[in-house]
Amino acid sequence: MPKKEKKNEKVDEFIRPDGRKYDELRPYKIRAHILKNADGSAEIRLGGNWIIAAVYGPKEHFPKFEISQDRAILNCRYHMNPYSTSERKSPKPSRREIELSKVIRNALTQSVILDDFPEMSIDVFIEVAQAEGSTRVASITAASVALADAGIPMRDMVVGCSAGKYNGHIILDVGEIEDKEGEADLPIAIMPNLRKVVLLQMDGKMTHEEFKKAFDLALKGAMQLYEEQLNALKNILESMSTLGEGEINEKK
Amino acid sequence: MPKKEKKNEKVDEFIRPDGRKYDELRPYKIRAHILKNADGSAEIRLGGNWIIAAVYGPKEHFPKFEISQDRAILNCRYHMNPYSTSERKSPKPSRREIELSKVIRNALTQSVILDDFPEMSIDVFIEVAQAEGSTRVASITAASVALADAGIPMRDMVVGCSAGKYNGHIILDVGEIEDKEGEADLPIAIMPNLRKVVLLQMDGKMTHEEFKKAFDLALKGAMQLYEEQLNALKNILESMSTLGEGEINEKK
Amino acid sequence: MPKKEKKNEKVDEFIRPDGRKYDELRPYKIRAHILKNADGSAEIRLGGNWIIAAVYGPKEHFPKFEISQDRAILNCRYHMNPYSTSERKSPKPSRREIELSKVIRNALTQSVILDDFPEMSIDVFIEVAQAEGSTRVASITAASVALADAGIPMRDMVVGCSAGKYNGHIILDVGEIEDKEGEADLPIAIMPNLRKVVLLQMDGKMTHEEFKKAFDLALKGAMQLYEEQLNALKNILESMSTLGEGEINEKK
Amino acid sequence: MRRNNLKKNTLHELLMANNVLKMAKENKRIDGRDFLDYRPIKIEPNVIEKPDASARVMLGDTFIIVGINFEIGTPFSDSPDKGILITEGEVLPTASFGAEAGPPSEEEIEISRVVDRSIRESGVVDLSELVIVPGEKVLKMFVDFNIFNDDGNIVDAAVLGTVAALLTGKMPDPKYIAEHIDEIDKISLKEVPRVPIPVKDIPISTTLALIGDKFYVDPNYVEESVAEALITITHTKNDEICAVQLYEGALGYEQVFEALNISLNKSREIRDILLSMVKNESTETNE
Amino acid sequence: MRRNNLKKNTLHELLMANNVLKMAKENKRIDGRDFLDYRPIKIEPNVIEKPDASARVMLGDTFIIVGINFEIGTPFSDSPDKGILITEGEVLPTASFGAEAGPPSEEEIEISRVVDRSIRESGVVDLSELVIVPGEKVLKMFVDFNIFNDDGNIVDAAVLGTVAALLTGKMPDPKYIAEHIDEIDKISLKEVPRVPIPVKDIPISTTLALIGDKFYVDPNYVEESVAEALITITHTKNDEICAVQLYEGALGYEQVFEALNISLNKSREIRDILLSMVKNESTETNE
Amino acid sequence: MRRNNLKKNTLHELLMANNVLKMAKENKRIDGRDFLDYRPIKIEPNVIEKPDASARVMLGDTFIIVGINFEIGTPFSDSPDKGILITEGEVLPTASFGAEAGPPSEEEIEISRVVDRSIRESGVVDLSELVIVPGEKVLKMFVDFNIFNDDGNIVDAAVLGTVAALLTGKMPDPKYIAEHIDEIDKISLKEVPRVPIPVKDIPISTTLALIGDKFYVDPNYVEESVAEALITITHTKNDEICAVQLYEGALGYEQVFEALNISLNKSREIRDILLSMVKNESTETNE
């Protein structure tokens, strides 16, 4: 587990439940190519979140009658493991998981060049091993790296980050307690170079002014995580050029 | 909502819960062509019942392996909305709804000329928005009008009506309280010109003599509703010839 | 029902709940060809167990995309009827029934010459009408007779029997009480002439030595039941040669 | 009619169906029966020992087992003074080429509900005698029937089996449970003293197929497959009608009453057969 | 976007979709509306008598009914002091050629959850006033909405209908139930005295489609099918944002704020329409 | 055997499968291991903080996480003096080309039940120590394992992970709950003091594939796909057999005992590895 570095510096405005500043991300780490069988894969650690994404495809699509003549079909499943939350989660997909699968699929679909693979399908599977707030945006961030790892052509990376309102303050990267007890949650995902928003949801209450502040914070956080996405992919490329294939799959 | 006209005339034999005479239908109104998207549609109000039927087709049938080479397939779903009853009804089809879908399909199948559309299917969807007794026969009555509205060729109209036994008396058009507290319920549906019974069920206890009396009452009620079916279709034809298409869909 | 003959002979070592000796099977009877519609069928009574197996096929396989080009597909369902146990069993297949369907299918698959029927399927349906311990092995024994009755080519019969440990003793043919209160249960199925084990499971605790003793007992019991399988098939052949077809289906 | 099954029929069945129609013109049935005859009936109560009541019925080659179990449950809020009756029937995949395993089909739900109404509406079991504590605890009676071989007319066989099981079975004594209500969580229902099931009627259903304007009583599988209409009518021991179901097809107005009359006569005849078989078997097995 | 439905669209719909794009170049909508105009709105509260609250909404040809029922339930362990809100929407198979019966689709789940959040997050119903006994018994409020005809913008119609039903409906009095808690198993909820539902806000959702860099307010079915992006924004009566959902597509950063501003203005306008219609109808039907 | 999966195998896997058979003739395995060798094993307990116990296991490239949660439940009526153990395993769709999301497959149910029996029958957890109030309240222990990458021999990895999690996890104290039984509805289980899980044994399962009359210990995915038979045998720390499952294929009578002997030897070896890894990690993480 990545160590949570408790920062004891003087904070600007108020103390967040985990001691962060209002515009500070939790500790994060992205690693690509962590599963042997998948065509592409990645994991993200963001605070206590641990999320693993795998990509299979492009491959023949079943059943036949669903095939799209002019582009690939992108499937996407967001799924929480039973031990990922404090109370055991039933392995059966909840309505929440079904909704999130749909909005995540939309976000990734904006970037993947599906026209390159008519009649095929690309599967993205996201497994939340441990959840601590803002899983949907972290999932997108990992899935995008897994797609790149699988060599799927994309218009841009897709990277997600959340902002929110807690105890009257606008904050970056909403944690578990802030999510439960806070006033609002604003998860977004963007294509950073194309400057497009591809996931946008909001829960809770914010004025237009607060929304603007939160949106800008989330953009800033997303750009930081985008750098980490690039790092993860660079590390993989380096290990592929310097090491034998056997070593790539080595964990830790 | 159609007003329930309380009749204060002297009743023949006994007072029914809603003040009707033994051989009296509840207030009723049928209107055709009430939904914009469906190929055919109709609604019926019969006392507190409010039922909406829609027809789609004839259209290509899926899945392919179920196709019938020599005739169309008639699908039929009878469904109660969650707010249609005093206690919330789960939207999931109950065993009762599945049975009723089957007997209603049989009733309509006797009339629709399915041989005209080999390899096609015709879908009949019945939604019970409010239920107050005798919904299955009212559903058939509305569905038959919706089929006619969709231009589906039929051998005859199909019209349903119920009779029953309540407090020892044979009664026409069983209402909600009479259904719950009565001794017997006899829903029937007929093709009025071909003089055929196409739905026949009975619940409760009746002697052969009582059954005969109830059956004759139900026939009489069905003939009244058949007139209303024709009226509804006539109204549509008139509005189609006198008004522009936009007006047809006007409600109320 | 086959009468349970209470044996009052002096038992070797200890009294089993139903008075059997440690190496004694419960009363048993197998009858083939007991259902009119199935291509092959059989029933087994083993103590209080009453199990009926039916075979349909070889026949065209649906859905098409599952077809195997070079051999038939063997389907197998093990199912307990709601009244087969002391507490009502839901008719929905339990996880236990799904597991047993799989291991029984594997056992039968080892014997059936599936290469003879490419692109076809063979269905084996097992219904447990009354359960009193060791149903899975009795099911295999009956299903194998039903397959033979259907004329399906097989490499060998498949016959099952259980052994176990109860009150410290290794016993043959585990009954209901012995199953619930005993220390271990070892169901096996074999191809008696090919000397192959095709089902092997164990539950509970046994030393290697005890396992060996139990395994040998179960083999011995299986050979006894194999004789009864042959008898059942012989009886059918005889009745087919001496009686008209109408009589074959006569029960009892 | 069995349209859904038709496409799954074997060639043999299609040929037989053709025979039914051919012989109809000669006023004959394929198995030589008269149009108003039932096939041989065999009823064996208590054929399974685990449930509280059971019976096997052979109606010609239609083979069916009924089991009845009692559990403790909570009454429905709109009938606090009544026990609960739940009837579920399954056509096992062993029953015919076209039968399938899996969740209950539309047809299975329909026949279960017709059997349920035949039992419930006749008042064969007085549900008010299944009450333990009004509004709180009642006995819940599960009737499960399974078709092992389907040679037609499942419903009549199932009603016969259910009534036979009720007449010969025993149920846990609701009074005893009421007296021990404080220990209810610790009581094993199987150890509660048994009393006879409070049977008040002997409903008999009779099923008729209409083929070429003629009613065929107790239709077999092939006759059902070519029937223009198929109807079940259930009568109480007092000759009242207590359930009717037109499964498929259409009837002329007069044909409805023709069917009712045939059914009434057959129901008296079949009730006698049932009672004689249950009397024999119940002394054999119960005493 | 509605990609799943596109392949099921009728030829008529495909031609219409083409028209939308053609007319976009001429700065026109196919039904002649201005880009910022809603279609005619008709709201009828209390249209169904069985549930505790109900309303019908016609938004152009989009036809939807909302029903609200209260039951007694157990609070979630992490919010013992709050009642329960459950929102379920179904696009009935009557609604369009592509709509299907069956378990809720991904799309139906999404719109139910957006409607739920619009209601829940605005605090329109103060869930703490639905508590009977904290941590033990609360009222459970079921909001069910059904789309009978889908001509686009289901969510706005559903939010309007839900708020109209809440404003005009009644609920069983939790205080009365608390005082009679010992008889809770015997109380029929329908006989408990009614009180108004504790409504605290009037949230209004507005849905916008992006077609060729232009926002279309209240898109109809065909406009939705060709939209490059589709977004709903819900505002409280104090002009706060309380729910946002980008269903499909992508927006430029600036477009997000353009959409928020359009939505704010429209929400004030629609709220007035809602209140005027509810006031009329509620005196008509409630007094 | 994995027949169901075979048709979904990639070309790469089919080539590899061919290699296994070719090298078998030269008495070699494709990854250079000896026939009786396990792949490298890595066990990390407490890898997830949310549940009461957890572990990650890497068995070569087979990657699996186990989480264990305790809840309060009602004992089964036939074992009032025992807690409840529920084991569910899912092969995640990330695990291989052929793995699918959705309700548990036949194969997933089978491996869950084999893992369950390995745990249950060995008595690793004394279920009688999970009782709160006999016959009324007990702890319910959920063992959930997920396969993130499947390179074969899932069951051995899952048993290792489960035992590791049990040895290092904590559970809510049933005695404490019993003493506070009156407030049971208000207790948050997460706030109940923890005690070690009462572990009584260290069961080890070993899985063997039969290929060309030779047993391959710890088969990888490709070896499983060509195996003539596949069997798991679980031993207790006292060398008793506590679970056996022949998943697929047939064994000669003597081969059964050959497999049992190989398994016994390997189980002792693997148990030592497990204990050394758990000891390290448990001091690291627990103290």
Side-chain angles (χ1 to χ4, degrees), chain F residues 93-111:
Chain F
T94 60
S96 72
F97 186 79
E100 280 176 9
S105 67
E106 199 181 50
E107 193 188 33
E108 282 167 300
I109 287 171
E110 183 181 35
I111 60 171

Side-chain angles (χ1 to χ4, degrees), chain C residues 66 87 95-96 99 102 105-106 110 190 195-197 200-206 208 211-212, chain F residues 7 106 110 112-113 117 121-122 235 240-251 260:
Chain C
E66 280 180 6
E87 295 198 12
R95 288 166 67 93
R96 178 181 167 275
E99 183 197 355
K102 181 179 178 294
R105 188 182 67 227
N106 177 63
Q110 305 309 313
I190 60 169
R195 296 179 55 85
K196 290 279 191 185
V197 180
L200 180 65
Q201 295 186 295
M202 206 209 84
D203 246 358
K205 273 191 206 174
M206 285 201 269
H208 276 238
F211 186 99
K212 176 84 175 71
Chain F
K7 66 172 54 150
E106 199 181 50
E110 183 181 35
S112 300
R113 288 177 57 84
R117 288 200 288 266
E121 300 298 339
S122 67
H235 281 90
E240 291 158 318
I241 305 162
C242 69
V244 176
Q245 182 88 345
L246 176 64
Y247 304 96
E248 306 251 8
L251 293 178
L260 287 172

Side-chain angles (χ1 to χ4, degrees), chain E residues 49-89:
Chain E
E49 294 162 15
K50 300 271 176 183
D52 296 304
S54 69
R56 166 156 79 156
V57 174
M58 302 290 309
L59 187 54
D61 282 311
T62 288
F63 167 0
I64 163 167
I65 294 178
V66 181
I68 300 179
N69 275 293
F70 289 85
E71 291 180 6
I72 295 177
T74 309
F76 294 118
S77 60
D78 59 350
S79 56
D81 297 334
K82 284 193 173 168
I84 293 173
L85 164 62
I86 292 174
T87 309
E88 286 192 24

Side-chain angles (χ1 to χ4, degrees), chain D residues 37-152:
Chain D
D37 278 356
Y38 266 74
R39 292 165 291 178
I41 298 173
K42 189 163 149 199
I43 302 168
E44 299 164 82
N46 293 313
V47 77
I48 308 275
E49 295 163 14
K50 300 271 176 183
D52 295 305
S54 69
R56 166 155 80 158
V57 174
M58 303 290 309
L59 186 54
D61 282 311
T62 288
F63 166 2
I64 164 168
I65 294 178
V66 181
I68 299 178
N69 274 293
F70 290 85
E71 290 179 10
I72 295 177
T74 310
F76 294 119
S77 60
D78 60 351
S79 55
D81 296 334
K82 283 191 175 171
I84 294 173
L85 165 62
I86 293 174
T87 309
E88 287 192 24
E90 193 179 355
V91 179
L92 300 175
T94 61
S96 73
F97 187 78
E100 279 176 10
S105 67
E106 200 181 49
E107 193 187 32
E108 283 168 297
I109 287 172
E110 184 182 34
I111 59 172
S112 302
R113 286 177 58 84
V114 174
V115 172
D116 186 282
R117 288 199 288 265
S118 296
I119 300 304
R120 183 188 301 275
E121 300 299 338
S122 67
V124 54
V125 173
D126 187 344
L127 294 178
S128 64
E129 296 193 20
L130 304 190
V131 175
I132 299 167
V133 179
E136 290 182 19
K137 293 281 170 209
V138 296
L139 288 180
K140 204 165 163 179
M141 178 171 123
F142 284 96
V143 173
D144 287 287
F145 62 92
N146 284 152
I147 295 85
F148 285 79
N149 193 69
D150 178 6
D151 196 27

Side-chain angles (χ1 to χ4, degrees), chain B residues 66 95-96 99 102 105-106 110 190 195-197 200-206 208 211-212 215, chain D residues 7 106 110 112-113 117 121-122 235 240-251 257 260:
Chain B
E66 280 180 7
R95 287 167 68 93
R96 176 180 167 278
E99 182 197 356
K102 181 178 178 296
R105 189 182 67 226
N106 177 62
Q110 304 310 312
I190 59 168
R195 296 178 56 82
K196 291 279 191 185
V197 180
L200 181 65
Q201 296 186 293
M202 207 209 82
D203 245 357
K205 273 191 204 174
M206 285 201 270
H208 275 237
F211 186 98
K212 176 85 174 71
F215 184 82
Chain D
K7 66 173 53 151
E106 200 181 49
E110 184 182 34
S112 302
R113 286 177 58 84
R117 288 199 288 265
E121 300 299 338
S122 67
H235 281 90
E240 291 158 317
I241 305 161
C242 67
V244 178
Q245 182 87 345
L246 175 65
Y247 304 96
E248 306 249 8
L251 293 178
F257 296 94
L260 287 171

Side-chain angles (χ1 to χ4, degrees), chain F residues 72 171-174 176-177 187-195:
Chain F
I72 295 176
M171 69 177 197
D173 185 356
Y176 178 92
I177 304 173
I187 295 177
S188 165
L189 204 54
K190 291 285 156 189
E191 288 156 20
V192 167
R194 304 279 119 168
V195 292

